[in-house]
Amino acid sequence: MNLTIGPLAETHERSRFSSGVEALDRWFHEQAGQSQRKRRTTVWVATEPSHPTVPLGYYSLAPFHVAFDHAPEALRKKLPPEPLYVALIARLAVATDARGRGLGGLLLIDAAKRALQASLQVPTHGVVVHAKDANAASFYRHYGFLPFPDDTLHLYAVVTEQVDMTLC
Amino acid sequence: MATASLHRNPLVLRPDTKGRVGLDSLLRRAREYLGGVPIAGLAAEVSSDGTITLRPRVEVAAETAHVLRLSDKDAAAFSDALAHPPKPNAALRKAAQRWNKTVDSQ
C-alpha cells in the first residue's frame, strides 16, 4: 500500500471518515479543522495517491507537559526540572474499511517521526499518548509504549538516540 | 491487566426530587462505569441543578488540558524510563521499515 500522510486540508472529505469509534469520528468531522486553525493541535491525514481526498486514517499532535509537583523531593531530584515537555498523540484513528493493512502502525511511526523532528528544534523528553480504551492501550504497548502504572490509558515513550536512529 | 473497554458516553447522575445524589449510588455506578479498567480517576462536572457528570480523566485531558499530573508511582516509572530508556522493540522497527517503503510523508 502506498500512502501519503500530510496535513489536514479543506479538500479532505472528512464527513466520509468512519473508524467506528464515535468520539474519534465526531471530533474529526466537527472539530479537527477548528482545532488546527486555532493551533491547539496539528492534524495529519493518510490518503492513497489515487484517492487523495478520502481519509483512511488520521492522528493529531499537541504540545503537552507532564507535572510531578507533588512528588517527594528524592524523586523530584531524579527527574529533569519542570516543566517537562513531551509531544502528545491526542488521537489516532483508522477507517473501518482500511483496517487490517497495518495503517495504525504507519500512522504511529509518522507521528513519532514528526515528534522526534520537532524535538531536534525544541527539546522534549518523549511522546505521550491518550488511549481511548484498553484495546487502544494494547495497540500502543505492542509498539513499546509504556503505560503509567496508575493511569494505564496514558502511555509514553522517551526520546533516545536509539529511537532517533530507528525512526529518523 | 483488565481488557474491558470504558463506556464512551459520560456517566450522568441526576439528583433525586430532594436534590440529593447518594454517595453509595455514586460509588457503585462509578465502579460499574469503569468496568474494571485501571485508570487513576474520573473527572466530575457538577451542573447548577446538581447533576453530576463523570468522564474518564483521559477523555477530558484529550480535549482541554495540556498537562498530565503524575502520581508518585507514575513519576517514578517515568524517571526510570528516562534513566534507562528501553530499546525500540521489533514491532516498532518493523513498522518503521514499512513506513520507509510505503509512505510519502509531507
Side-chain angles (χ1 to χ4, degrees):
Chain A
M1 172 171 52
N2 286 320
L3 281 178
T4 300
I5 302 178
L8 175 67
E10 293 289 333
T11 51
H12 288 128
E13 298 174 69
R14 281 188 281 154
S15 61
R16 291 179 60 169
F17 181 80
S18 173
S19 69
V21 180
E22 199 259 339
L24 292 172
D25 293 346
R26 191 177 62 234
W27 185 84
F28 188 59
H29 297 163
E30 299 173 7
Q31 294 174 268
Q34 187 180 45
S35 182
Q36 183 162 266
R37 279 193 301 278
K38 293 192 173 181
R39 300 183 64 77
R40 289 194 197 116
T41 61
T42 54
V43 185
W44 304 89
V45 178
T47 58
E48 285 176 313
S50 55
H51 299 89
T53 64
V54 181
L56 298 177
Y58 80 88
Y59 65 83
S60 64
L61 287 175
F64 204 60
H65 79 272
V66 293
F68 39 88
D69 40 5
H70 298 301
E73 188 62 26
L75 178 56
R76 290 172 61 85
K77 283 181 181 173
K78 293 182 184 174
L79 287 158
E82 290 189 87
L84 198 156
Y85 291 104
V86 297
L88 172 71
I89 302 175
R91 293 174 178 81
L92 187 154
V94 175
T96 49
D97 51 7
R99 294 249 172 92
R101 295 149 69 178
L103 182 54
L106 295 177
L107 287 168
L108 181 61
I109 294 292
D110 201 79
K113 278 177 172 283
R114 287 188 205 279
L116 286 170
Q117 288 294 334
S119 80
L120 298 176
Q121 308 295 325
V122 181
T124 56
H125 286 86
V127 178
V128 168
V129 297
H130 287 310
K132 302 299 285 184
D133 56 30
N135 288 333
S138 173
F139 164 81
Y140 291 113
R141 285 200 309 275
H142 175 69
Y143 290 101
F145 278 73
L146 301 169
F148 285 108
D150 277 341
D151 192 353
T152 56
L153 294 183
H154 278 117
L155 301 94
Y156 63 95
V158 297
V159 171
T160 67
E161 283 183 16
Q162 278 186 310
V163 173
D164 280 351
M165 287 167 63
T166 301
L167 297 181
C168 293
Chain B
M1 171 67 61
T3 55
S5 295
L6 282 169
H7 294 275
R8 297 276 52 87
N9 295 320
L11 170 61
V12 179
L13 298 157
R14 300 192 192 286
D16 62 19
T17 52
K18 294 182 180 176
R20 299 174 304 196
V21 176
L23 186 58
D24 285 351
S25 165
L26 189 152
L27 291 174
R28 178 177 53 76
R29 291 190 58 193
R31 273 199 303 273
E32 290 168 1
Y33 178 70
L34 287 170
V37 175
I39 65 170
L42 296 167
E45 297 163 15
V46 184
S47 64
S48 57
D49 68 352
T51 299
I52 299 173
T53 303
L54 299 175
R55 289 198 297 162
R57 192 165 61 119
V58 67
E59 294 262 333
V60 178
E63 291 170 15
T64 58
H66 294 286
V67 58
L68 177 66
R69 295 200 178 281
L70 303 183
S71 70
D72 289 358
K73 213 168 162 184
D74 292 342
F78 195 66
S79 169
D80 282 350
L82 288 173
H84 308 288
K87 292 178 182 173
N89 70 12
L92 192 75
R93 289 198 305 272
K94 193 174 169 187
Q97 287 167 1
R98 270 195 68 221
W99 185 95
N100 284 331
K101 289 178 185 168
T102 59
V103 173
D104 172 21
S105 191
Q106 298 178 343

